[in-house]
Amino acid sequence: MADQPADKKFFENLSGAGKAIGVLTSGGDAQGMNAAVRAVVRMGIYVEAKVYFVYEGYQGMVDGGDNIVEVSWESVSSILQVGGTVIGSARCKEFRTREGRLKAAFNLIQRGITNLCVIGGDGSLTGANLFREEWSGLLEELAQNGKIEEEAVKKYVYLNIVGMVGSIDNDFCGTDMTIGTDSALHRIIEVVDAIMTTAQSHQRTFVLEVMGRHCGYLALVSALACGADWVFIPEYPPEEGWEEQMCVKLSENRARKKRLNIIIVAEGAIDSHNKPITSEEVKNLVVQQLGFDTRVTILGHVQRGGTPSAFDRILASRMGVEAVLALLEATQDTPACVVSLSGNQAVRLPLMECVQMTQEVQKAMDERKFCEAVRLRGRYNTSNHTHLSTNFNVAVLNVGAPAAGMNAAVRSAIRVGITEGHNMFAVTDGFEGFANGQIKEISWGDVGGWTGQGGSLLGTKRTLPAKYLEKIADQMRSNNINALMVIGGFEAYLGLLELSAAREKYDEFCVPMVMVPATVSNNVPGSDFSIGADTALNTITDTCDRIKQSASGTKRRVFIIETMGGYCGYLANMGGLAAGADAAYIFEEKFDIRELQANVEHLTEKMKTSIQRGLVLRNENSNENYTTDFIYQLYSEEGKGVFDCRKNVLGHMQQGGAPSPFDRNFGTKISAKAVQWISKKLRETYRKGKVFANTEDSVCLLGMRRRNLLFQPVVELKDQADFVHRIPKEQWWLKLRPLMKILAKYKTSYDVSDSGQLEHVARHSPKEAETVAI
């Protein structure tokens, strides 16, 4: 990761020399805002722009003076892991008046700021757009009042606005995730996991109230992630008579020996008459109707607190860099835009289109048009279950190393399968267990409480099926297995390839088969994400935070951290981006002794500033000669007199622990979709009392590719896989390598070909947004 010359063409197209960028945070705080601020500052400096903090949001812009300060590279050091916003946020009534905006315009002109990056909610962004529309008029008025010269009016003729949405509620239309949402889910799930142990001890019912005055995202996803019995959200009120339905549901669960009940209520929950449903009301109902010992927990502002998750740090960093690019590419005719996330891709959308749709959601809810509100939200879309006329036998197994979130995926598969009319079978210990007949039918209640448990409760092994084909075929025949769902990593992919090839010899394998990727290494071809990788990434990030904190107050120190991943550098690279590493060594990007030496020199220069800590990550198989010990010894020797070194091998702790909200949610959704695909294939291939599927598209991998979840025949993915090193030949995250280097103060080229182009907000058709399956 040595210094490389910056791309001249990049600077010709985007040079910010002489430009000034102001960055402010406004509205409610959200974890990850500081990561966004850091990215804007460092990317701005990288493109030779001046960057200014605007302290205390719009209030600071109106007040001016010391509230608007030019910042340096070091100004944003050590803020990546800090929650809230270090530059402050405040409500500002004065900015809502023209007089206030006149003051703000004057204060910006004094510093030559005509590029504004606003991190906040829809109200903050709407205010920014109004400011932009009035800009030329404000400047003319300032000139008439003698506050500024006529030359300044001509020089600063227009104001560019780019927004990033910081909101834990995820209530802004046009983006899949807002900055802070994932971290808020972490806080909620931590509390739910803690509550579940005490609730089980006493057979209690807990009613949890989470934030979400106008949006039920936090409530819905946390309900999915913890296996709640009931959830109330504002966009989808319960039907008439919900009180009795809920009590019947709770009674049935308690009768099935379930020792606890969890009910989640969004703070803005309403019934079909727009009357609020409160957590206290729900508690009283349960106590009066059922006599259950019931407690209410209102999470409140704890959801806004704490350190940001790895997801939020990476999301905010990507958005911050994209925001700077959007500002520097903007012209007078470019509308104010907001940087959003669509699937796994950063996109730019017209700000007011997003604001308008967000307001339309609220209008639809006020008018009790709840189906319309769900359609406009878009992100709640799920498919209806279709009960099949024939009962099919579907087997589920885990293959490869354990990954957090596997159990959530299995639970989802079992329960959706049962809902669709299948008989669900669980196979223990992977293909080896399959061959040995370790297969049994599994019921709805058998998977209760699985979502929050790490590892693999079914057991998993790396063994491939090739040497057990005859035995597995016998088990398929004797148990009349009509479809197969495999949850696992690269071994699972190889296993499906072997089963697919064995169809010529064994008719038993001529059934629909689907794979759901689950591995901390995130090295499965055909998917940008695998279940378990997010949990591992959070483990790495948390550990790096603690390791860096251990050096505070000591002399200058550099930490060398080894991560897992086999030959795949995903964890090292993305962990480096999330933890603010100075370098990350990976197999996919070759490095030599000269580069290692250059990195040491880079850190030596860094230590001459106020920054006294360094962090270097190394993927376990990045280079067979430049081992973690070698790099540690090299840094120790070359850094003598400037810094000392410590090393840490994280090891299998990256595979353990409770799954993150992302992995629980991703595992739940992707497994449900996989089972629905199985149902469709079973209908298509069932003829004369038998299932027979022998086409390539009946053995698929379900993966996230850029913006979509796609079913891809495993055979077609062979050309995309490096079987020797067990990694995909092309990996999307490698495009983020330069971003990490830029944020670590390296001169490097940055590929802007994948940067977002201005698009329009997608409006989902009624068919796409049918019902919310809860």
Side-chain angles (χ1 to χ4, degrees):
M1 194 180 288
D3 279 355
Q4 300 172 28
D7 190 338
K8 286 182 181 176
K9 190 174 180 183
F10 175 85
F11 275 100
E12 285 169 10
N13 292 339
L14 288 173
S15 177
K19 293 189 178 181
I21 299 172
V23 55
L24 71 139
T25 53
S26 179
D29 64 302
Q31 308 96 318
M33 277 184 164
N34 289 325
V37 169
R38 172 179 177 267
V40 169
V41 169
R42 293 193 167 177
M43 188 63 182
I45 292 171
Y46 170 78
V47 295
E48 301 176 357
K50 290 182 178 181
V51 186
Y52 290 82
F53 277 168
V54 180
Y55 287 101
E56 308 306 334
Y58 287 118
Q59 189 65 56
M61 199 190 300
V62 171
D63 293 343
D66 292 341
N67 290 302
I68 306 175
V69 179
E70 186 177 356
V71 290
S72 66
W73 191 273
E74 289 78 22
S75 301
V76 290
S77 177
S78 300
I79 70 169
L80 186 62
Q81 67 272 22
V82 179
T85 164
V86 297
I87 59 175
S89 178
R91 308 285 178 191
C92 181
K93 290 182 179 178
E94 200 173 352
F95 188 75
R96 295 177 185 174
T97 67
R98 184 174 174 85
E99 186 59 33
R101 292 191 290 275
L102 200 63
K103 290 180 183 177
F106 175 73
N107 290 327
L108 293 186
I109 289 298
Q110 293 295 99
R111 296 160 181 81
I113 300 172
T114 55
N115 296 279
L116 209 53
C117 181
V118 180
I119 307 163
D122 61 334
S124 304
L125 299 179
T126 304
N129 188 66
L130 176 62
F131 190 39
R132 176 183 177 275
E133 289 174 347
E134 291 182 346
W135 181 259
S136 58
L138 293 170
L139 263 56
E140 286 172 8
E141 190 173 334
L142 286 169
Q144 287 168 9
N145 295 340
K147 291 285 187 72
I148 61 173
E149 301 290 333
E150 284 292 339
E151 284 299 313
V153 178
K154 294 175 184 175
K155 185 177 180 181
Y156 305 119
V157 65
Y158 62 93
L159 177 70
N160 294 322
I161 297 283
V162 173
M164 285 182 274
V165 189
S167 166
I168 67 164
D169 292 343
N170 205 25
D171 56 355
F172 193 80
C173 291
T175 186
D176 289 348
M177 287 286 271
T178 56
I179 296 168
T181 303
D182 187 69
S183 300
L185 284 169
H186 273 256
R187 300 296 91 78
I188 295 168
I189 295 306
E190 285 163 9
V191 171
V192 173
D193 284 352
I195 279 175
M196 286 177 86
T197 55
T198 182
Q200 282 180 324
S201 302
H202 299 279
Q203 291 198 48
R204 281 187 176 142
T205 296
F206 267 89
V207 181
L208 268 79
E209 183 181 302
V210 302
M211 282 185 168
R213 194 172 301 129
H214 305 295
C215 180
Y217 185 87
L218 288 178
L220 181 60
V221 174
S222 56
L224 281 173
C226 72
D229 297 272
W230 206 268
V231 61
F232 296 95
I233 63 173
E235 297 91 335
Y236 203 80
E239 296 173 357
E240 295 281 355
W242 62 267
E243 297 91 343
E244 184 181 346
Q245 290 175 21
M246 185 185 74
C247 289
V248 168
K249 168 81 171 171
L250 296 177
S251 295
E252 288 174 351
N253 285 344
R254 196 60 68 91
R256 285 199 291 259
K257 307 297 183 187
K258 186 175 180 182
R259 294 183 60 82
L260 80 157
N261 302 111
I262 299 284
I263 301 166
I264 295 184
V265 183
E267 63 177 327
I270 51 175
D271 64 16
S272 55
H273 300 289
N274 277 25
K275 181 191 168 194
I277 296 175
T278 66
S279 50
E280 197 62 35
E281 177 190 347
V282 173
K283 173 205 164 182
N284 292 337
L285 177 68
V286 174
V287 171
Q288 291 164 13
Q289 296 290 322
L290 301 175
F292 290 175
D293 186 5
T294 307
R295 299 286 190 275
V296 172
T297 299
I298 299 174
L299 298 190
H301 280 72
V302 71
Q303 294 158 88
R304 289 193 188 279
T307 187
S309 66
F311 183 95
D312 271 330
R313 298 184 197 192
I314 294 167
L315 173 66
S317 297
R318 290 176 70 182
M319 284 186 167
V321 167
E322 187 67 35
V324 172
L325 297 180
L327 280 172
L328 300 181
E329 288 177 357
T331 66
Q332 190 168 359
D333 299 324
T334 307
C337 76
V338 61
V339 180
S340 300
L341 182 73
S342 178
N344 188 30
Q345 193 171 7
V347 295
R348 302 175 195 172
L349 299 170
L351 171 58
M352 293 317 293
E353 282 188 22
C354 297
V355 170
Q356 184 182 354
M357 189 182 286
T358 304
Q359 291 170 348
E360 283 179 25
V361 172
Q362 189 58 47
K363 184 171 181 284
M365 288 162 62
D366 291 341
E367 295 174 355
R368 295 165 59 190
K369 297 177 181 176
F370 298 111
C371 288
E372 175 71 3
V374 170
R375 182 182 72 79
L376 290 166
R377 279 275 187 242
R379 64 175 72 96
Y380 293 142
N381 300 346
T382 59
S383 301
N384 280 326
H385 298 304
T386 52
H387 203 90
L388 303 179
S389 55
T390 303
N391 289 345
F392 292 102
N393 294 346
V394 179
V396 180
L397 68 156
N398 292 338
V399 176
M406 274 184 164
N407 297 320
V410 171
R411 171 185 175 273
S412 175
I414 300 300
R415 291 193 168 180
V416 172
I418 291 170
T419 302
E420 301 220 331
H422 303 309
N423 303 312
M424 301 302 294
F425 288 79
V427 180
T428 55
D429 294 339
F431 288 118
E432 191 175 320
F434 209 159
N436 294 330
Q438 294 169 227
I439 177 170
K440 65 175 183 178
E441 190 167 357
I442 190 165
S443 69
W444 184 280
D446 292 336
V447 291
W450 279 32
T451 49
Q453 298 194 50
S456 166
L457 292 171
L458 287 185
T460 181
K461 291 192 175 180
R462 296 179 182 271
T463 315
L464 295 176
K467 61 180 179 180
Y468 299 113
L469 289 174
E470 189 170 340
K471 287 185 176 181
I472 294 173
D474 287 344
Q475 292 298 332
M476 296 274 286
R477 184 171 56 255
S478 61
N479 289 283
N480 190 27
I481 300 300
N482 307 120
L484 201 59
M485 179 171 167
V486 181
I487 302 166
F490 208 91
E491 290 88 357
Y493 172 65
L494 293 173
L496 277 196
L497 281 177
E498 291 178 2
L499 292 181
S500 178
R503 281 176 161 182
E504 294 179 4
K505 189 174 179 182
Y506 301 100
D507 283 353
E508 288 82 1
F509 300 135
C510 293
V511 297
M513 293 187 271
V514 65
M515 175 187 164
V516 169
T519 166
V520 300
S521 302
N522 200 32
N523 63 334
V524 177
S527 188
D528 292 352
F529 295 112
S530 296
I531 299 164
D534 183 74
T535 304
L537 203 51
N538 276 288
T539 300
I540 293 167
T541 306
D542 292 345
T543 306
C544 287
D545 285 352
R546 293 178 185 184
I547 286 171
K548 285 199 295 183
Q549 191 178 45
S550 74
S552 60
T554 66
K555 58 185 178 181
R556 293 177 171 89
R557 184 164 286 169
V558 173
F559 297 93
I560 316 292
I561 313 292
E562 182 185 297
T563 67
M564 292 178 79
Y567 286 97
C568 180
Y570 177 83
L571 290 179
N573 186 75
M574 302 303 274
L577 187 56
D582 297 279
Y585 300 116
I586 61 173
F587 171 77
E588 292 89 344
E589 190 174 281
K590 305 304 177 189
F591 58 95
D592 56 24
I593 194 68
R594 289 181 295 275
E595 185 154 352
L596 290 169
Q597 181 63 35
N599 294 152
V600 174
E601 291 169 2
H602 184 88
L603 272 168
T604 303
E605 286 301 308
K606 175 183 171 181
M607 293 296 178
K608 292 177 182 176
T609 69
S610 59
I611 303 171
Q612 299 190 2
R613 286 170 292 178
L615 181 67
V616 175
L617 271 63
R618 178 188 174 274
N619 166 244
E620 59 184 348
N621 289 342
S622 56
N623 189 293
E624 61 180 336
N625 294 315
Y626 301 133
T627 62
T628 301
D629 281 337
F630 178 92
I631 292 173
Y632 162 69
Q633 289 165 6
L634 175 71
Y635 273 68
S636 296
E637 182 63 31
E638 296 298 318
K640 268 184 182 175
V642 182
F643 58 80
D644 65 358
C645 274
R646 295 289 186 273
K647 66 173 179 178
N648 197 313
V649 178
L650 300 187
H652 283 75
M653 65 183 290
Q654 294 160 85
Q655 285 183 340
S660 69
F662 180 95
D663 279 330
R664 300 184 197 196
N665 188 28
F666 186 53
T668 299
K669 290 195 296 187
I670 199 170
S671 279
K673 197 171 181 71
V675 171
Q676 288 163 0
W677 176 88
I678 283 174
S679 297
K680 177 173 172 284
K681 286 295 176 185
L682 285 170
R683 281 196 301 271
E684 292 172 357
T685 57
Y686 184 66
R687 298 289 182 275
K688 298 179 180 178
K690 185 181 178 183
V691 174
F692 188 80
N694 65 347
T695 56
E696 286 185 356
D697 67 353
S698 62
V699 186
C700 282
L701 179 145
L702 173 56
M704 165 70 81
R705 299 300 291 267
R706 291 173 74 84
R707 302 193 192 190
N708 301 301
L709 282 170
L710 299 176
F711 289 95
Q712 305 144 98
V714 292
V715 174
E716 291 181 9
L717 293 173
K718 285 171 75 174
D719 292 339
Q720 300 177 29
D722 174 352
F723 288 95
V724 175
H725 300 104
R726 299 194 169 201
I727 55 174
K729 289 179 180 176
E730 290 187 16
Q731 303 190 78
W732 68 271
W733 52 266
L734 285 170
K735 289 190 175 180
L736 300 183
R737 288 283 289 171
L739 190 154
M740 189 189 73
K741 294 177 185 180
I742 288 166
L743 297 180
K745 209 175 183 178
Y746 287 90
K747 288 275 191 266
T748 186
S749 59
Y750 185 74
D751 181 8
V752 294
S753 63
D754 206 38
S755 65
Q757 302 303 312
L758 195 65
E759 303 178 9
H760 291 286
V761 180
R763 287 180 175 267
H764 300 272
S765 68
K767 190 176 179 182
E768 287 178 304
E770 291 169 317
T771 58
V772 181
I774 300 173

